[in-house]
Amino acid sequence: MNPNITSLHEIANKPNRKIIGLMSGTSFDGLDIALCEFRDSGLETQVKVLNFSSETYPSDFKEDLKSIFAKQNVDFEKLTILNAFIGKYYAELILKNLSDWGIAVNEIDLIASHGQTVFHAPKHQRAADSYPNATLQIGDGDHIAVATGIITISDFRQKHVAVGCEGAPLSVYGDYLLFSSAEENRIMLNIGGISNFTFLPAKHSTDFFSSDVGPGNTLMDQFVQQHYPGKYFDEDARIASSGTVNPELLDSLFSHDFFKSDYPKTTGPELFSLAYLSNAISKTGLEKLSNEDILATLAAFTAKSIVDAVRSSVGSKGAYEIYISGGGMHNPLLLHLIEEQLGKKLKFSSDLGIAPDAKEAVLFALLGNEAVAGGHTNFGAHPGVPSISMGKISFPR
């Protein structure tokens, strides 16, 4: 037997596995690194987050990512080079953090890497053509594995697409396995570049539901980056909080067919771009609207898209609690608007034992655990949630 397969077999049969989960979102903040210890799999999964770090990307690297992200025409050479570079860069950050934590490389069983999304292309979001759903994440797993010496699982979204789904959201798998409750209906809301949520009925019911709902931070972040050089986001919503929501622009932002389509659905910054905003402003003749008012309206747009989705898909299912994670949780204006419109105090995933900033990295570590030691859970008959094992395995030698 190939010694790599032997190693994988031994890891799968260990009582506990130490897995590093990696997540880098569409806001390009940096790389989230979560070192987790797993016992069991499926609904029996137990996880402990041993260490967590969020490594901020340098400005020049952020600019390189932005130059190839969510664009129909890019420098193909740069895209190819970044695929290899990101894998090596992730490996460097992992080794640095293991050294900082005083943990030897041979103590780690697996790395589970989401990679860097550069384009998300569900069929419903494109002009009519004969091509299927598609999505692309770069940061090659072989480069991570070779540079760290650790078996790496990556490219999780491709299996989801291969079986006819849209490649997102994948958070539903981790949400269901980690956060289902016997007593409480829960909504696990993640506000990253795009907002998505999972509704988890009490009693571990498979009658759960998950979908993207629209923009999270992406439009606000893109607008700040365009108009405030050196800034990547509106810290503490200071700019937006000084503006006033424009109802006419808000209505125009909601005029796209995406908001009329059925759940579940996926989307990305490819749709919710500065061109989307420019078109909405042009249709309303509001070209002279201040930056402050535009950002206030974009915050209202994100909040209302979340609130509308929750009300329309979950509102009739009884009492529920909402647990939030993702970068949007640091936007006080956004949280205030959601709480005000729902009449409900938001909670955080930390109330359930997982720090909000670490949650997505932990969820990909969980998918890595499932790829090697699980894969037996029946998720029921849900559109967009097939009972599959995801991730490609890269060996270090």
Side-chain angles (χ1 to χ4, degrees), residues 64 96 147 203 209 227 263 346 350 364 367:
D64 280 339
K96 168 187 172 295
K203 301 179 182 177
F209 171 85
H227 293 276
Y263 299 102
L346 297 174
S350 51
F364 279 94
L367 289 180

Side-chain angles (χ1 to χ4, degrees), residues 120-125 133-135 157 160-161 164-170 212 264-267 384:
H120 186 60
K123 188 169 178 59
H124 76 263
Q125 209 163 277
N133 295 320
T135 188
R157 297 188 186 273
H160 198 255
V161 171
C165 301
E166 295 186 349
L170 298 189
D212 284 349
K265 52 192 173 185
T266 68
T267 189

Side-chain angles (χ1 to χ4, degrees), residues 7 9 25 54-55 64 82 101 103 142 192 200 218 231 248 253 277 290 292-293 296 317 339 350 366:
S7 295
H9 182 266
S54 189
E55 295 286 340
D64 280 339
L82 282 173
W101 297 333
I103 297 172
D142 282 339
L200 300 169
T218 185
K231 288 183 177 290
E248 192 176 0
L253 289 166
L277 173 61
S290 71
E292 292 81 3
D293 289 353
K317 298 183 183 294
E339 289 179 336
S350 51
L366 179 141

Side-chain angles (χ1 to χ4, degrees), residues 53 55 93-103:
S53 174
E55 295 286 340
L93 293 177
I94 290 167
L95 294 174
K96 168 187 172 295
N97 276 275
L98 287 176
S99 176
D100 291 345
W101 297 333
I103 297 172

Side-chain angles (χ1 to χ4, degrees), residues 101-372:
W101 297 333
I103 297 172
V105 170
N106 62 11
E107 294 181 54
I108 307 302
D109 295 301
L110 300 167
I111 295 167
S113 173
H114 170 266
Q116 182 65 57
T117 295
V118 291
F119 209 95
H120 186 60
K123 188 169 178 59
H124 76 263
Q125 209 163 277
R126 305 196 310 268
D129 60 38
S130 60
Y131 297 111
N133 295 320
T135 188
L136 181 62
Q137 290 71 43
I138 61 173
D140 186 74
D142 282 339
H143 286 80
I144 300 173
V146 169
T148 61
I150 301 168
I151 295 173
T152 298
I153 306 174
S154 63
D155 218 12
F156 291 92
R157 297 188 186 273
Q158 294 305 323
K159 177 68 75 63
H160 198 255
V161 171
V163 297
C165 301
E166 295 186 349
L170 298 189
S171 56
V172 58
Y173 292 94
D175 286 344
Y176 178 63
L177 296 182
L178 289 184
F179 301 117
S180 294
S181 167
E183 299 86 20
E184 181 179 77
N185 294 327
R186 291 175 174 170
I187 291 175
M188 305 303 298
L189 172 63
N190 183 71
I191 308 178
I194 296 297
S195 298
N196 62 72
F197 76 95
T198 303
F199 173 64
L200 300 169
K203 301 179 182 177
H204 302 286
S205 167
T206 56
D207 188 25
F208 55 80
F209 171 85
S210 183
S211 181
D212 284 349
V213 300
N217 305 310
T218 185
L219 273 173
M220 293 182 284
D221 290 352
Q222 289 179 65
F223 187 81
V224 167
Q225 291 163 23
Q226 181 184 50
H227 293 276
Y228 299 89
K231 288 183 177 290
Y232 286 91
F233 63 99
D234 181 11
E235 188 172 0
D236 294 326
R238 291 168 189 160
I239 304 170
S241 296
S242 65
T244 301
V245 175
N246 184 285
E248 192 176 0
L249 177 57
L250 185 60
D251 287 345
S252 181
L253 289 166
F254 273 105
S255 65
H256 195 277
D257 285 345
F258 173 82
F259 295 102
K260 303 181 183 72
S261 60
D262 295 333
Y263 299 102
K265 52 192 173 185
T266 68
T267 189
E270 295 79 10
L271 172 61
F272 293 109
S273 63
L274 290 176
Y276 184 96
L277 173 61
S278 178
N279 182 57
I281 291 173
S282 178
K283 286 194 298 185
T284 53
L286 294 168
E287 285 82 359
K288 294 185 179 180
L289 205 61
S290 71
N291 288 350
E292 292 81 3
D293 289 353
I294 290 173
L295 277 170
T297 305
L298 290 176
F301 181 38
T302 290
K304 189 174 187 302
S305 66
I306 292 168
V307 170
D308 287 352
V310 169
R311 284 175 173 164
S312 65
S313 59
V314 179
S316 63
K317 298 183 183 294
Y320 57 85
E321 296 296 331
I322 300 180
Y323 297 87
I324 190 171
S325 61
M329 61 168 281
H330 300 294
N331 185 318
L333 175 61
L334 190 56
L335 300 195
H336 169 73
L337 291 170
I338 296 169
E339 289 179 336
E340 182 179 56
Q341 292 174 43
L342 286 177
K344 181 181 290 292
K345 185 71 175 175
L346 297 174
K347 297 182 178 181
F348 298 91
S349 62
S350 51
D351 295 321
L352 303 177
I354 302 291
D357 288 324
K359 179 178 173 243
E360 284 196 284
V362 172
L363 292 183
F364 279 94
L366 179 141
L367 289 180
N369 186 62
E370 286 295 303
V372 171

